[in-house]
Amino acid sequence: MTAPLDKTAGDAPSPTDRAPEAIKAIPVRHYGRYVSAVIVLALLGLIVNAFAVADLTWGSVGDFFFDDQIMEGVKNTLVVSVLSMLMGLVLGIVLAVMRMSKNPVTSSVAWGYIWFFRGTPVYVQLLLWFNLALIFPVLNLGPIYKDEMTDVMTPFVAALLGLGLNEAAYMAEICRAGIQSVDEGQTEASQALGMTNGQNMRRIVLPQAMRVIVPPTGNEFINLLKTSALCSVVQYEEVLRKAQNIGNTSSAVVEMLFVATLWFLVITTIFSIGQFYLERHYARGSSRQLPATPWQRARQLVFTFSRGTGSGAGR
Amino acid sequence: MNAMVKAEAVHKSFGPLEVLKGINLEVAPQEVFCIVGPSGSGKSTFLRCINHLEKINAGRLYVDGTLVGYREHGNKLYELRDREVAAQRRDIGMVFQRFNLFPHMTAVENVMEAPVLVKGVSKAKARERARAMLDRVGLGDKTDSYPSQLSGGQQQRVAIARALAMEPKLMLFDEPTSALDPELVGEVLDVMRDLAEDGMTMIVVTHEMGFAREVGDSLVFMDDGVVVESGHPRDVLTNPQHERTKSFLSKVL
């Protein structure tokens, strides 16, 4: 045991020395992990079994999944979510810029807007928009436009305004946080190069702010998709309302709720994948190595297994 | 000969704190002008006033005969619009202590951004010139690297190339080697030395006394918002006249 020690102490190891044999140790056994895995699987099995024996006609979930009414509802959900997100994004950027403005009037107005729309439930806001005709029977924009409020405030318009204006308040705070996260030295550098404030914002600050803005915006959008289910209170025919309509007439109430649930999962999954690629795009330059796409990871995994050395992660 | 930079009684305060208490100096064209002094003496602030990153409170500051940041009509001063200030800054390059490269752009994109955006140079031409500029600072093989993939010395050389790409008539260096590992200081100073030999007018705030003595044409020692002593770097650094200069130099040399 002491002989090799003495040797290394005697003469300094030179890089030409043969590398020592790789360590082949017997790994520690984690018995706790086996136990907990068994418990979790058992509980999962109980839940699956409960649904299997429940009084459900699984067939009708499949039958109605691509039903015309349901598809119409899915389309409406997507339309109102995407449009109100766009509305929230545009208005949110405007509010963020107003909030950071040196003009006290614009910044206070932006503050007040955010205070009101973040401080009240979106459910109440939807109802307020929908019932606007009760206090303003006629929409009168002077010489430009004049019409009965009930004709203007359709369920779609009420849903769009309720979700979009509410979303703008959240997006404003997200955009402001993003813009303020960019180091001041960046603005100084672009000013020193002779860029105007607009050029600095567009080319230097916003692209870097996007890295901070995109992830919470993706979460906001997924939240918004789910919140759009509330629009049924203003008679907007989104996927949940359509599903409930069918459920009430065919007495497959829970089955139809499952249809709506699955559709929400499908949509949010698709958008989560989109978000991953968007975040990857804006990570350029900030992380030395971009995160692998699922496709790249799958290929890596296959490659590792096919080598079959069993030496753990592929290097 | 007209001075490239002329400061007349320049004052600058941040709130109640007076940082510059009347700076008078002249920088001749093609001169390498070094500013040294303890931290908090106002040397970086003065540098930032020259391209109007900071507004001065009193006095006059001229670059190439033009008032910085204002227009004088009769006896009144008019603030310049943001766009006009930006136009003034085009001709003044600046290199920062912390490099301030644009992290979302590659080295060559960093260098070509301002010529394309500010001067309207075509992208192909700007790219070609940016490559030449990076070659000049010894980074011809790093054009497509992002700043995070470069060492501090390499980042600072890209920053110098970025400033040079605007073809400035004056270059400001704000402690360009202070954030660097000691072994990387030399490569940045070499680039600055080449630049001085090419006849660029340079104002350098620095703690590198060796560089100041070797390359500088004039040197001022600043302390507590005033110029304490000025002259040729060799004279000031080897034979300081004021007590404050002596005590500062005894600490840094």
Side-chain angles (χ1 to χ4, degrees), chain B residues 119-136:
Chain B
K119 283 188 162 176
V121 180
S122 78
K123 273 198 177 170
K125 199 168 180 190
R127 187 175 290 272
E128 187 186 315
R129 290 206 23 234
R131 282 185 198 282
M133 212 59 85
L134 286 170
D135 230 11
R136 182 174 168 188

Side-chain angles (χ1 to χ4, degrees), chain A residues 67-99:
Chain A
D67 181 87
D68 286 348
Q69 287 293 306
I70 295 289
M71 294 311 283
E72 174 83 17
V74 169
K75 193 200 81 189
N76 287 343
T77 293
L78 281 173
V79 166
V80 80
S81 302
V82 170
L83 288 182
S84 47
M85 191 67 206
L86 284 177
M87 187 171 164
L89 198 63
V90 173
L91 199 56
I93 292 172
V94 173
L95 283 166
V97 172
M98 280 172 73
R99 185 101 156 77

Side-chain angles (χ1 to χ4, degrees), chain A residues 250-270:
Chain A
S250 66
S251 77
V253 178
V254 179
E255 288 81 349
M256 286 303 111
L257 290 179
F258 281 176
V259 169
T261 307
L262 287 174
W263 268 112
F264 275 114
L265 278 176
V266 168
I267 300 170
T268 50
T269 306
I270 292 171

